[in-house]
Amino acid sequence: MKLRVDDITAEAKEFSFEEAEAQVNVVLEREPVREYRIEGPISVTVSYYRAGTDLFFAGRLRASTKAVCARCAEEFLWPGERAFRFVLAPKAVGFAGETDLHAEDLEFSLYEGDEIDLSPLIREQFLLSLPTRPLCADECRGLCPHCGVNLNLAECGCAAESFDARFAALRSLKLRRS
Ligand SMILES: [Zn+2]
Ligand SMILES: [Zn+2]
C-alpha cells in the first residue's frame, strides 16, 4: 500500500486497507521454530498527518493467526491485534547527529522520494505484535516432562509423583530449620 507524500497534509486522514500475508509468512517460515502462520490478509486502519516534513501514522492491525503453544505444542488461533504508531522523517534532512538515538527506536523510520510504501512498515508492526513465547492460555499446563502427556487434556501419574517429591524436599527443609 503506497501513499503519495504530497497527499499527506496537516489535516489528519484515515483509511483502511488489507495487506497481503504472504511476505509475513515467508519471514515466519525462516524462524528456526515455526510458531506462527497468518491465515489471511492483515486488516489495517491507519490515520496519518504531517507536521513539517515529519509524517505521523497511528492505527490498528488485525490478522487471523495460527500459533503453536510454547508449552503444550497445540495449535491455537491467536488474536493477532496491535495498535501501532510511527513517525517517518525525510532521509535527505536526516537527524542532525541524533541518528544513533533513533536507530534504536523501531517506531522511527526514514522516508525517501515522493511515495511512502506502508507495506514493509505494516509487516514490521505485525511481527512486533507477536509474543516471543505464544501460549494457548496463561494457565496452560503444558506437556508432562516425563511422559509427554498434554496436561490440559489428561492427568498422568508422574505429575503427582514429582509434586510429592518436591513437597517432601520442602518438608525436610522446614524440619531442618526448626
Ligand atoms: Zn498450551
Ligand atoms: Zn507424565
Side-chain angles (χ1 to χ4, degrees):
M1 175 55 64
K2 287 181 179 167
L3 285 178
R4 286 180 48 79
V5 172
D6 287 347
D7 291 340
I8 304 172
T9 63
E11 189 191 335
K13 290 176 205 155
E14 186 179 89
F15 78 117
S16 298
F17 64 98
E18 293 204 326
E19 182 63 42
E21 72 277 21
Q23 293 199 48
V24 173
N25 279 329
V26 167
V27 173
L28 294 172
E29 277 163 20
R30 266 190 240 128
E31 298 289 317
V33 180
R34 167 97 148 260
E35 293 171 313
Y36 295 100
R37 181 175 178 82
I38 312 188
E39 297 289 286
I42 307 173
S43 307
V44 186
T45 299
V46 60
S47 59
Y48 57 94
Y49 68 94
R50 75 160 61 232
T53 53
D54 290 346
L55 310 178
F56 292 78
F57 296 84
R60 293 198 73 80
L61 56 80
R62 191 163 37 82
S64 172
T65 306
K66 286 264 177 75
V68 176
C69 178
R71 282 189 202 148
C72 70
E74 290 291 326
E75 202 172 64
F76 65 100
L77 204 59
W78 185 73
E81 265 197 73
R82 175 179 170 93
F84 63 85
R85 189 181 284 274
F86 53 81
V87 185
L88 302 183
K91 198 168 191 172
V93 175
F95 297 119
E98 288 180 75
T99 316
D100 289 342
L101 199 76
H102 289 301
E104 301 282 309
D105 189 348
L106 285 166
E107 312 292 330
F108 206 101
S109 308
L110 297 171
Y111 72 89
E112 206 175 11
D114 50 14
E115 267 187 347
I116 303 295
D117 187 358
L118 285 178
S119 298
L121 295 159
I122 292 303
R123 291 197 293 267
E124 183 188 16
Q125 290 298 322
F126 177 80
L127 291 169
L128 289 171
S129 76
L130 301 173
T132 46
R133 251 181 121 242
L135 291 180
C136 65
D138 284 341
E139 62 275 17
C140 172
R141 302 175 66 202
L143 303 176
C144 171
H146 304 287
C147 70
V149 148
N150 182 342
L151 296 171
N152 300 308
L153 305 175
E155 296 286 341
C156 66
C158 351
E161 271 171 37
S162 62
F163 179 78
D164 285 348
R166 279 202 304 267
F167 216 74
L170 194 67
R171 269 198 306 262
S172 64
L173 193 73
K174 276 185 178 166
L175 282 172
R176 262 184 276 133
R177 274 189 174 174
S178 56

PDB file of all heavy atoms in Angstrom, residues 143-151 155-160, ligand 2:
ATOM      1  N   LEU A 143       3.130 -29.868  28.614  1.00  0.00           N
ATOM      2  CA  LEU A 143       3.314 -31.316  28.497  1.00  0.00           C
ATOM      3  C   LEU A 143       4.063 -31.822  29.716  1.00  0.00           C
ATOM      4  O   LEU A 143       4.946 -31.141  30.246  1.00  0.00           O
ATOM      5  CB  LEU A 143       4.136 -31.636  27.244  1.00  0.00           C
ATOM      6  CG  LEU A 143       3.582 -31.130  25.906  1.00  0.00           C
ATOM      7  CD1 LEU A 143       4.565 -31.451  24.790  1.00  0.00           C
ATOM      8  CD2 LEU A 143       2.218 -31.715  25.614  1.00  0.00           C
ATOM      9  N   CYS A 144       3.744 -33.026  30.122  1.00  0.00           N
ATOM     10  CA  CYS A 144       4.499 -33.638  31.208  1.00  0.00           C
ATOM     11  C   CYS A 144       5.927 -33.888  30.731  1.00  0.00           C
ATOM     12  O   CYS A 144       6.133 -34.508  29.689  1.00  0.00           O
ATOM     13  CB  CYS A 144       3.854 -34.953  31.635  1.00  0.00           C
ATOM     14  SG  CYS A 144       4.897 -35.868  32.795  1.00  0.00           S
ATOM     15  N   PRO A 145       6.920 -33.396  31.453  1.00  0.00           N
ATOM     16  CA  PRO A 145       8.309 -33.586  31.024  1.00  0.00           C
ATOM     17  C   PRO A 145       8.739 -35.050  31.057  1.00  0.00           C
ATOM     18  O   PRO A 145       9.745 -35.426  30.460  1.00  0.00           O
ATOM     19  CB  PRO A 145       9.113 -32.736  32.011  1.00  0.00           C
ATOM     20  CG  PRO A 145       8.223 -32.568  33.194  1.00  0.00           C
ATOM     21  CD  PRO A 145       6.812 -32.622  32.679  1.00  0.00           C
ATOM     22  N   HIS A 146       7.991 -35.892  31.769  1.00  0.00           N
ATOM     23  CA  HIS A 146       8.364 -37.304  31.874  1.00  0.00           C
ATOM     24  C   HIS A 146       7.721 -38.154  30.787  1.00  0.00           C
ATOM     25  O   HIS A 146       8.404 -38.869  30.070  1.00  0.00           O
ATOM     26  CB  HIS A 146       7.999 -37.843  33.268  1.00  0.00           C
ATOM     27  CG  HIS A 146       8.621 -37.059  34.366  1.00  0.00           C
ATOM     28  ND1 HIS A 146       9.962 -37.141  34.656  1.00  0.00           N
ATOM     29  CD2 HIS A 146       8.096 -36.138  35.207  1.00  0.00           C
ATOM     30  CE1 HIS A 146      10.239 -36.309  35.651  1.00  0.00           C
ATOM     31  NE2 HIS A 146       9.125 -35.683  36.001  1.00  0.00           N
ATOM     32  N   CYS A 147       6.360 -38.064  30.654  1.00  0.00           N
ATOM     33  CA  CYS A 147       5.685 -38.967  29.723  1.00  0.00           C
ATOM     34  C   CYS A 147       5.131 -38.254  28.490  1.00  0.00           C
ATOM     35  O   CYS A 147       4.640 -38.901  27.574  1.00  0.00           O
ATOM     36  CB  CYS A 147       4.563 -39.727  30.438  1.00  0.00           C
ATOM     37  SG  CYS A 147       3.171 -38.666  30.872  1.00  0.00           S
ATOM     38  N   GLY A 148       5.183 -36.914  28.452  1.00  0.00           N
ATOM     39  CA  GLY A 148       4.764 -36.179  27.265  1.00  0.00           C
ATOM     40  C   GLY A 148       3.267 -35.984  27.127  1.00  0.00           C
ATOM     41  O   GLY A 148       2.808 -35.453  26.117  1.00  0.00           O
ATOM     42  N   VAL A 149       2.485 -36.381  28.126  1.00  0.00           N
ATOM     43  CA  VAL A 149       1.031 -36.194  28.073  1.00  0.00           C
ATOM     44  C   VAL A 149       0.712 -34.698  28.126  1.00  0.00           C
ATOM     45  O   VAL A 149       1.369 -33.950  28.859  1.00  0.00           O
ATOM     46  CB  VAL A 149       0.368 -36.970  29.248  1.00  0.00           C
ATOM     47  CG1 VAL A 149      -0.889 -36.271  29.741  1.00  0.00           C
ATOM     48  CG2 VAL A 149       0.057 -38.388  28.831  1.00  0.00           C
ATOM     49  N   ASN A 150      -0.284 -34.280  27.317  1.00  0.00           N
ATOM     50  CA  ASN A 150      -0.756 -32.902  27.390  1.00  0.00           C
ATOM     51  C   ASN A 150      -1.576 -32.759  28.666  1.00  0.00           C
ATOM     52  O   ASN A 150      -2.678 -33.289  28.778  1.00  0.00           O
ATOM     53  CB  ASN A 150      -1.596 -32.577  26.152  1.00  0.00           C
ATOM     54  CG  ASN A 150      -2.073 -31.133  26.153  1.00  0.00           C
ATOM     55  OD1 ASN A 150      -2.083 -30.464  27.187  1.00  0.00           O
ATOM     56  ND2 ASN A 150      -2.451 -30.657  24.979  1.00  0.00           N
ATOM     57  N   LEU A 151      -1.050 -32.028  29.631  1.00  0.00           N
ATOM     58  CA  LEU A 151      -1.663 -31.967  30.958  1.00  0.00           C
ATOM     59  C   LEU A 151      -2.948 -31.152  30.981  1.00  0.00           C
ATOM     60  O   LEU A 151      -3.669 -31.147  31.974  1.00  0.00           O
ATOM     61  CB  LEU A 151      -0.655 -31.416  31.975  1.00  0.00           C
ATOM     62  CG  LEU A 151       0.580 -32.307  32.187  1.00  0.00           C
ATOM     63  CD1 LEU A 151       1.631 -31.593  33.023  1.00  0.00           C
ATOM     64  CD2 LEU A 151       0.194 -33.641  32.836  1.00  0.00           C
ATOM     65  N   GLU A 155      -4.531 -36.272  33.010  1.00  0.00           N
ATOM     66  CA  GLU A 155      -3.633 -36.341  34.154  1.00  0.00           C
ATOM     67  C   GLU A 155      -2.708 -37.526  33.944  1.00  0.00           C
ATOM     68  O   GLU A 155      -3.063 -38.482  33.265  1.00  0.00           O
ATOM     69  CB  GLU A 155      -4.431 -36.583  35.450  1.00  0.00           C
ATOM     70  CG  GLU A 155      -5.388 -35.467  35.811  1.00  0.00           C
ATOM     71  CD  GLU A 155      -4.668 -34.237  36.350  1.00  0.00           C
ATOM     72  OE1 GLU A 155      -3.502 -34.371  36.782  1.00  0.00           O
ATOM     73  OE2 GLU A 155      -5.270 -33.152  36.316  1.00  0.00           O
ATOM     74  N   CYS A 156      -1.530 -37.446  34.479  1.00  0.00           N
ATOM     75  CA  CYS A 156      -0.669 -38.628  34.431  1.00  0.00           C
ATOM     76  C   CYS A 156      -0.061 -38.799  35.809  1.00  0.00           C
ATOM     77  O   CYS A 156      -0.022 -37.861  36.597  1.00  0.00           O
ATOM     78  CB  CYS A 156       0.412 -38.471  33.373  1.00  0.00           C
ATOM     79  SG  CYS A 156       1.583 -37.168  33.751  1.00  0.00           S
ATOM     80  N   GLY A 157       0.404 -39.987  36.099  1.00  0.00           N
ATOM     81  CA  GLY A 157       0.945 -40.296  37.420  1.00  0.00           C
ATOM     82  C   GLY A 157       2.188 -39.502  37.770  1.00  0.00           C
ATOM     83  O   GLY A 157       2.377 -39.091  38.907  1.00  0.00           O
ATOM     84  N   CYS A 158       3.017 -39.200  36.744  1.00  0.00           N
ATOM     85  CA  CYS A 158       4.318 -38.579  37.039  1.00  0.00           C
ATOM     86  C   CYS A 158       4.180 -37.218  37.713  1.00  0.00           C
ATOM     87  O   CYS A 158       4.974 -36.872  38.572  1.00  0.00           O
ATOM     88  CB  CYS A 158       5.180 -38.423  35.796  1.00  0.00           C
ATOM     89  SG  CYS A 158       4.621 -39.203  34.316  1.00  0.00           S
ATOM     90  N   ALA A 159       3.145 -36.442  37.305  1.00  0.00           N
ATOM     91  CA  ALA A 159       2.988 -35.094  37.849  1.00  0.00           C
ATOM     92  C   ALA A 159       2.838 -35.160  39.363  1.00  0.00           C
ATOM     93  O   ALA A 159       3.496 -34.430  40.093  1.00  0.00           O
ATOM     94  CB  ALA A 159       1.793 -34.405  37.213  1.00  0.00           C
ATOM     95  N   ALA A 160       1.967 -36.057  39.817  1.00  0.00           N
ATOM     96  CA  ALA A 160       1.716 -36.183  41.254  1.00  0.00           C
ATOM     97  C   ALA A 160       2.977 -36.626  41.979  1.00  0.00           C
ATOM     98  O   ALA A 160       3.320 -36.100  43.037  1.00  0.00           O
ATOM     99  CB  ALA A 160       0.592 -37.183  41.481  1.00  0.00           C
TER     100      ALA A 160
HETATM  101 ZN    ZN B   2       3.576 -37.773  32.915  1.00  0.00          ZN
END
